[in-house]
Amino acid sequence: MKSKNRFAKYIRFMIYLAVVILINLAGQTLFFRVDLTQNGAYSISDVSKQVVATLSEPLTIKVFFTKNLPAPHNATEQYLRDLLAEYALSGNRHFNYRFYNVSAEGDDASTEENRTAAENYGIYPVQIQAVEQDEVKFQRAYMGLVLIHGDIVERIDTITGAEGLEYKLTTAIQKLNNKVSALLSLEDRIRVSLYLSSSIKTVASFMGLEQLGNLPVHIEGMINKLNAKTYGKLEYRYVDPEDQRLEELTSRYQIMTLNWPELENGRIAAGRGLIGLVIEHGKDRAELPLLSVIKLPIIGTQYQLTDLPKLEEMIVDAVDSLINIHQKIGYLASHGALPLQEPGMNPFDRSEGDLAAFSNLVSQTYSLEEVNLKEETPEGLRCLVIAQPTETFTDYELYQLDQMLMRGTNLAIFTDAFRETPPSGEPVYGGQDPTYSPLETGLEKLLAHYGVRIAPAYVLDESCYRQQLSPRMGGGERMIYFAPIIKSEHIDHTLPFMKNIRGLITMKVSPLELDEKRIQETGIRAVELLRSSDRSWQMKNRINFNHALVQPPQDEEAMRSMPLAFLLEGSFPSYFAGKPIPEKRAAQADALEDSNIPPAGQPDRSKAELSGIQGEGVFRSQSLPGRIFIMGSSESLKNNLIDEDGQSPNAMFILNVLDALNDREQIAVMRSKIQRFNPLADAGAAKKTLVKMLNVVGLPVMAALFGVLVWMRRISRKKRIQMMFQRH
């Protein structure tokens, strides 16, 4: 009997072992992963899956990453491995990736080979900080990758964290796909012209530019190298302009002109010359500087040629811009709107009030096209950004804007309720405050027609930015009431592109008022995106942001929450429906009319013949389904609220809004999937007291109750045992 039971145990063991082996074999081909994070941080988005699943040419990703890095960089490497594995699961046969172990210090053959390959692709080591045995050390490490698609290479130089990594990879793959298609469809070649006067070479040694004579050869080699990656679409030429052509060229292009006096007692005559690089395709062009002039105290004026690797990057960026590989976004460049800085400008020239960071971030995924409503508006724009217009719109210009909306161009409007005028005259002690006057441009009529009004006031809030004061100013912090902080509970998270925005900071923002009756009449859906806290109030009439004069109101009834941003969705009725169509009246029209005046003695047949001809313009009275984003502040686009890397909540909010207006909500969701700023919800005083009591009193009481339960269970067990022995 015992041997039979032992045999049965062996049989069960063999069955269990076979089941385990079969489960493991099935798991090699049939498996699934579950991402339990709130935003799906470790799963790629649907748009990423679609991008890699529809590749038509081989795409190879080469990752150059130093192994065994200290935290948190080792976690970044593991995240990158997991992310690329997710891409591979969704990608077709054209998707490939490989990791290369590359160290900045190793001397073995494989490490040297990988290091050379990385630097050939433009991936260089960066310095990171490590803590070992209570000692801070610095280490050089490679943390970058390149994407190779056909003959075109894109790279991500440094990967220091998981934030936005999927977004960078997916948009880079999309860019490569678009670039290949755009280059192959070009009929004409892109001309790269080097303008360099030979006369400059005679004074190059006095400027410390002995290598200037080799510049044409270096640039020609660079263009030949780039031609191998751009399907031979670049055409290079070297031009030594004659003196009589200098004025013509400087008026046509923005190229640096150098003037010098007689040198070495007249052995070198006074003269002038031209130096610059021009890239042209069709009517579009880009001018790249080759020489920078630096004025240093004591040392004097220094001249420096543009670094060749940096120049190569500038040429690639210029080519990308000229062939329009990105979707276009319109930007209102007329009516005194904020000037749009060109991407790639010197970062030391940026001020806190310009749009350089905004321009650079948007240009990474879109092509910004300036729009002048005083001229003919372009077709095919999906979105138009209007930032702080200060000049009055004529009826014809409002008609142009209205019809752009009717044709399907969404609007992103960042406008101000007041015109800020800097102080004039001699500065006084403590500085003078700017003055504020109501700003009316005519755009208010359109907004009111759609059901939104910008109130002539500023929102001040006790939930605001707190400025840390230096010890010299007494220390502590100062409440900047005109910079409200918008917390998560006052942000609408129902829209996908707003889901992961957990907090924002605004500045000099005006409240918005919604005309509910007008909204119902038009059938437009109004979504309130942002709202101030319940401890906010309005500053109107006399505007003054002097810290000593701005204090919360004593009347609690003045405190209330106010809407700060709306998204209007639906089919918008035209503002000019049922009204006469405005006529364009310009100097060109007057000149054309004067040129058609018949000579004396001849009848003017044009008016008689044309008076009977009538035409109808292509007027739309109802728009296609569209969107309008409205915010009563242009400060949200400026450098003091948007970071250059695009990782702050403010930058993500603006970029997500533009993506949503360009029908790319999936891209917006992917960008903000891993959000660094994720604060806890504010708790009231009662809730804080309750939690404190639970921690101080509740936990000991729970431990005591648990002990009592254990003691009672033991007593009960003893009684049961005694009863069992008493029965026997």
Side-chain angles (χ1 to χ4, degrees):
M1 187 72 178
K2 290 183 178 180
S3 61
K4 188 175 181 180
N5 290 337
R6 188 182 302 115
F7 184 69
K9 290 181 180 179
Y10 289 141
I11 292 177
R12 285 198 301 270
F13 173 75
M14 296 301 294
I15 292 174
Y16 293 155
L17 181 62
V19 170
V20 171
I21 293 174
L22 290 174
I23 291 175
N24 279 273
L25 290 174
Q28 291 182 2
T29 54
L30 300 174
F31 64 96
F32 65 93
R33 298 175 61 188
V34 179
D35 188 352
L36 299 180
T37 57
Q38 181 180 5
N39 301 324
Y42 295 96
S43 302
I44 62 175
S45 307
D46 292 337
V47 63
S48 299
K49 296 177 181 178
Q50 182 182 4
V51 166
V52 294
T54 56
L55 290 172
S56 57
E57 291 188 20
L59 172 71
T60 301
I61 299 179
K62 295 185 178 182
V63 184
F64 299 94
F65 222 99
T66 302
K67 281 188 176 181
N68 302 321
L69 292 177
H73 304 292
N74 53 354
T76 300
E77 179 191 7
Q78 186 58 50
Y79 175 78
L80 181 57
R81 288 182 181 273
D82 295 340
L83 186 62
L84 291 177
E86 286 282 331
Y87 276 100
L89 289 174
S90 302
N92 58 22
R93 60 187 178 88
H94 294 300
F95 181 82
N96 301 282
Y97 73 94
R98 180 181 175 184
F99 276 77
Y100 294 83
N101 179 25
V102 52
S103 174
E105 280 80 25
D107 293 330
D108 58 281
S110 61
T111 302
E112 180 67 26
E113 182 181 352
N114 292 343
R115 185 161 56 236
T116 302
E119 294 180 357
N120 286 339
Y121 285 117
I123 306 295
Y124 296 96
V126 295
Q127 186 169 272
I128 61 174
Q129 180 177 303
V131 179
E132 297 180 2
Q133 298 178 353
D134 298 331
E135 183 180 357
V136 178
K137 296 182 179 180
F138 292 94
Q139 177 182 350
R140 296 173 68 227
Y142 288 83
M143 297 185 295
L145 62 81
V146 294
L147 301 94
I148 306 172
H149 187 49
D151 294 328
I152 303 178
V153 177
E154 282 286 326
R155 71 172 177 270
I156 302 178
D157 306 86
T158 307
I159 303 173
T160 57
E163 294 89 353
L165 189 51
E166 182 194 351
Y167 171 78
K168 293 178 182 178
L169 282 173
T170 299
T171 52
I173 296 172
Q174 287 180 323
K175 180 180 178 180
L176 287 174
N177 273 327
N178 296 339
K179 192 170 183 177
V180 169
S181 302
L183 286 171
L184 292 177
S185 62
L186 287 182
E187 297 181 359
D188 302 325
R189 302 178 73 186
I190 301 172
R191 176 180 292 181
V192 182
S193 303
L194 170 62
Y195 292 93
L196 177 60
S197 301
S198 56
S199 56
I200 297 181
K201 299 177 184 179
T202 60
V203 295
S205 59
F206 294 93
M207 303 165 61
L209 303 174
E210 289 78 5
Q211 68 274 30
L212 183 65
N214 299 324
L215 187 61
V217 177
H218 289 319
I219 294 182
E220 183 177 8
M222 187 185 302
I223 299 302
N224 291 334
K225 176 184 174 182
L226 291 176
N227 254 330
K229 304 176 183 179
T230 56
Y231 303 97
K233 294 297 183 178
L234 302 182
E235 176 186 342
Y236 172 73
R237 65 169 185 163
Y238 166 44
V239 180
D240 181 4
E242 301 174 354
D243 290 344
Q244 56 268 29
R245 291 196 60 201
L246 293 183
E247 295 296 337
E248 174 194 346
L249 292 174
T250 52
S251 62
R252 185 191 307 174
Y253 306 119
Q254 293 182 354
I255 304 178
M256 178 180 289
T257 303
L258 294 177
N259 299 276
W260 58 89
E262 289 186 355
L263 301 172
E264 292 193 340
N265 298 323
R267 285 195 299 171
I268 298 179
R272 61 176 183 164
L274 204 65
I275 179 171
L277 193 68
V278 179
I279 304 176
E280 298 174 283
H281 181 255
K283 297 181 180 179
D284 300 322
R285 67 170 179 263
E287 296 98 351
L288 304 182
L290 297 177
L291 185 66
S292 57
V293 182
I294 306 172
K295 295 184 178 180
L296 301 174
I298 302 175
I299 298 176
T301 303
Q302 300 287 317
Y303 299 90
Q304 186 176 357
L305 283 175
T306 302
D307 186 52
L308 290 180
K310 182 179 179 181
L311 179 61
E312 182 176 343
E313 293 181 10
M314 294 167 62
I315 294 175
V316 171
D317 291 341
V319 170
D320 291 349
S321 177
L322 291 178
I323 62 178
N324 294 325
I325 64 172
H326 296 311
Q327 185 178 350
K328 290 184 178 180
I329 281 186
Y331 183 86
L332 183 67
S334 58
H335 295 84
L338 289 173
L340 186 63
Q341 297 287 351
E342 290 294 333
M345 66 173 290
N346 186 349
F348 296 105
D349 292 338
R350 296 176 182 173
S351 65
E352 290 188 350
D354 61 28
L355 304 184
F358 167 79
S359 177
N360 284 329
L361 289 174
V362 174
S363 298
Q364 292 175 10
T365 49
Y366 295 98
S367 293
L368 283 165
E369 180 174 349
E370 294 189 350
V371 175
N372 189 341
L373 290 180
K374 299 178 181 180
E375 302 173 356
E376 294 300 324
T377 56
E379 298 287 341
L381 289 178
R382 194 70 186 107
C383 173
L384 175 67
V385 179
I386 302 175
Q388 197 190 51
T390 56
E391 298 176 3
T392 303
F393 291 80
T394 66
D395 286 344
Y396 179 79
E397 290 157 1
L398 290 177
Y399 172 74
Q400 292 276 79
L401 191 59
D402 175 88
Q403 288 302 293
M404 288 184 70
L405 178 63
M406 298 301 109
R407 295 193 297 267
T409 300
N410 297 324
L411 303 179
I413 301 175
F414 301 85
T415 187
D416 298 321
F418 295 92
R419 184 194 306 271
E420 182 177 340
T421 305
S424 58
E426 294 294 329
V428 297
Y429 177 76
Q432 294 181 346
D433 297 324
T435 57
Y436 297 85
S437 57
L439 178 61
E440 294 184 359
T441 62
L443 195 61
E444 301 82 18
K445 296 186 292 185
L446 283 184
L447 296 181
H449 178 72
Y450 304 138
V452 178
R453 175 177 175 266
I454 300 176
Y458 282 121
V459 174
L460 281 70
D461 202 328
E462 288 186 354
S463 172
C464 61
Y465 176 76
R466 298 169 184 262
Q467 180 186 14
Q468 299 298 322
L469 299 178
S470 64
R472 182 170 52 87
M473 299 179 64
E477 60 184 19
R478 174 189 290 166
M479 307 281 282
I480 309 299
Y481 293 113
F482 59 85
I485 291 179
I486 314 301
K487 297 184 178 180
S488 182
E489 56 266 29
H490 296 118
I491 298 175
D492 189 301
H493 297 112
T494 57
L495 296 176
F497 69 92
M498 295 291 296
K499 182 179 178 182
N500 299 325
I501 305 298
R502 303 296 178 184
L504 294 169
I505 182 169
T506 58
M507 184 178 291
K508 296 181 181 178
V509 59
S510 297
L512 301 180
E513 298 174 354
L514 202 64
D515 187 344
E516 298 287 354
K517 181 179 179 181
R518 181 60 183 165
I519 291 294
Q520 292 179 358
E521 290 175 353
T522 57
I524 296 173
R525 176 176 176 241
V527 182
E528 181 185 292
L529 300 181
L530 308 176
R531 173 175 283 273
S532 63
S533 78
D534 296 330
R535 302 294 299 172
S536 62
W537 69 98
Q538 291 187 14
M539 175 187 285
K540 57 177 66 175
N541 299 326
R542 187 172 181 179
I543 307 298
N544 192 325
F545 293 120
N546 190 307
H547 304 289
L549 302 177
V550 178
Q551 295 296 331
Q554 299 297 323
D555 185 5
E556 289 292 327
E557 294 183 357
M559 296 283 196
R560 59 187 176 89
S561 179
M562 290 168 278
L564 304 180
F566 277 107
L567 182 68
L568 307 182
E569 300 178 306
S571 180
F572 298 89
S574 172
Y575 175 74
F576 292 92
K579 301 177 182 177
I581 304 301
E583 295 183 358
K584 181 179 181 180
R585 191 71 180 178
Q588 293 87 347
D590 295 337
L592 180 61
E593 191 173 297
D594 292 340
S595 65
N596 291 329
I597 297 177
Q602 293 187 11
D604 186 0
R605 298 181 179 178
S606 60
K607 294 183 179 179
E609 294 174 356
L610 296 179
S611 61
I613 302 177
Q614 296 181 355
E616 294 183 0
V618 185
F619 171 76
R620 293 180 180 267
S621 60
Q622 196 76 19
S623 78
L624 300 171
R627 288 176 165 183
I628 301 177
F629 170 83
I630 305 172
M631 187 172 186
S633 173
S634 62
E635 297 289 333
S636 299
L637 300 180
K638 296 181 181 179
N639 288 353
N640 50 2
L641 291 184
I642 293 184
D643 66 307
E644 295 182 8
D645 298 327
Q647 297 299 322
S648 67
N650 274 64
M652 287 194 176
F653 169 68
I654 296 298
L655 295 175
N656 283 4
V657 167
L658 295 183
D659 281 336
L661 296 180
N662 282 273
D663 300 327
R664 299 178 64 191
E665 282 197 63
Q666 289 183 325
I667 296 291
V669 173
M670 179 176 59
R671 176 191 292 109
S672 55
K673 187 162 61 174
I674 300 180
Q675 175 60 269
R676 291 183 296 182
F677 185 74
N678 195 13
L680 297 174
D682 286 341
K687 190 174 182 180
K688 290 179 181 179
T689 303
L690 178 61
V691 172
K692 187 183 297 184
M693 293 297 296
L694 285 175
N695 286 327
V696 174
V697 180
L699 291 178
V701 170
M702 290 175 62
L705 290 175
F706 181 76
V708 170
L709 290 174
V710 172
W711 175 69
M712 294 176 64
R713 186 172 180 274
R714 288 179 178 177
I715 292 177
S716 176
R717 182 170 177 269
K718 288 180 180 180
K719 289 182 178 181
R720 286 197 306 269
I721 293 174
Q722 289 176 357
M723 299 254 328
M724 290 173 60
F725 282 102
Q726 287 175 359
R727 291 174 183 174
H728 292 288

